[in-house]
Amino acid sequence: MTISLRAIEPEDLDLLYRIENDTTLWNVGTSNVPYSRYLLHDYVAHATADIYTDRQVRMMIDDEQGQTVGIADIVNFDPANRRAEVGIIIIQACRRQGYATATLHALRDYAHRVLHLHQLYAYIDVHNEASLSLFQKAGYVTAARMPQWLCDGDEYHDAWLVQLLF
């Protein structure tokens, strides 16, 4: 499986809008509020693509034919400790086809070779066995269980902290 990571373009706004406002995804990340098209347009227009300025890098995931299959994030960049949080969303129609695995490998290479990070990490709901398995297959190790770390709007869930050390 070959994917490519690229900068977000204005043409990606509709897909970005759909993903960011998909309430079924809010329980797998730290965001649980809707984003306006204006706010997302403003983000795309003003993001510098400099991790030291923005403290994050958001990229689109394209398949071998150039079709966009998801979004990859490196966020919460901590330059002093050379670490960042990683997140990926693969659109529903493209899940379970190897794109997430290929994306985690591409993010690993980018973070290590280009950004010179020491580690990547992610928080995964303890009930999300598919994500935990995905990250473990990509070399991440379970470092800690974080009690009541994620809220789905109604209740709190424990989360696994997983890390990939270079």
Side-chain angles (χ1 to χ4, degrees):
M1 171 69 54
T2 302
I3 59 96
S4 59
L5 300 174
R6 64 170 176 80
I8 297 175
E9 299 287 349
E11 296 79 15
D12 297 315
L13 185 59
D14 287 338
L15 178 60
L16 189 61
Y17 181 79
R18 283 195 317 272
I19 289 173
E20 291 292 354
N21 290 295
D22 183 347
T23 58
T24 65
L25 299 174
W26 288 358
N27 66 334
V28 298
T30 57
S31 177
N32 58 2
V33 296
Y35 285 93
S36 70
R37 192 174 298 278
Y38 174 81
L39 185 64
L40 293 171
H41 180 272
D42 190 56
Y43 169 78
V44 171
H46 294 100
T48 66
D50 177 0
I51 196 165
Y52 286 92
T53 300
D54 297 338
R55 296 291 193 245
Q56 68 177 354
V57 175
R58 301 197 77 194
M59 297 171 280
M60 303 307 286
I61 307 163
D62 287 349
D63 67 11
E64 294 169 333
Q65 290 76 41
Q67 297 298 310
T68 302
V69 298
I71 299 174
D73 296 322
I74 297 177
V75 299
N76 298 324
F77 171 59
D78 178 349
N81 294 297
R82 295 178 41 218
R83 68 176 170 236
E85 185 175 355
V86 64
I88 58 172
I89 294 290
I90 303 297
I91 60 175
Q92 185 69 37
C94 298
R95 291 186 188 154
R96 302 204 181 277
Q97 297 177 33
Y99 293 115
T101 300
T103 300
L104 283 178
H105 290 301
L107 287 172
R108 175 200 62 213
D109 293 345
Y110 177 74
H112 183 61
R113 292 191 176 111
V114 177
L115 301 177
H116 307 289
L117 296 183
H118 173 65
Q119 71 174 281
L120 291 173
Y121 65 91
Y123 295 103
I124 302 170
D125 188 306
V126 295
H127 299 107
N128 191 340
E129 294 175 10
S131 285
L132 181 61
S133 176
L134 168 72
F135 276 83
Q136 288 173 332
K137 287 178 187 173
Y140 286 71
V141 296
T142 304
R145 185 175 178 133
M146 311 297 286
Q148 300 183 25
W149 198 254
L150 301 171
C151 183
D152 66 10
D154 293 321
E155 59 186 57
Y156 287 89
H157 299 265
D158 291 1
W160 295 115
L161 166 62
V162 296
Q163 294 174 290
L164 177 67
L165 303 175
F166 300 118

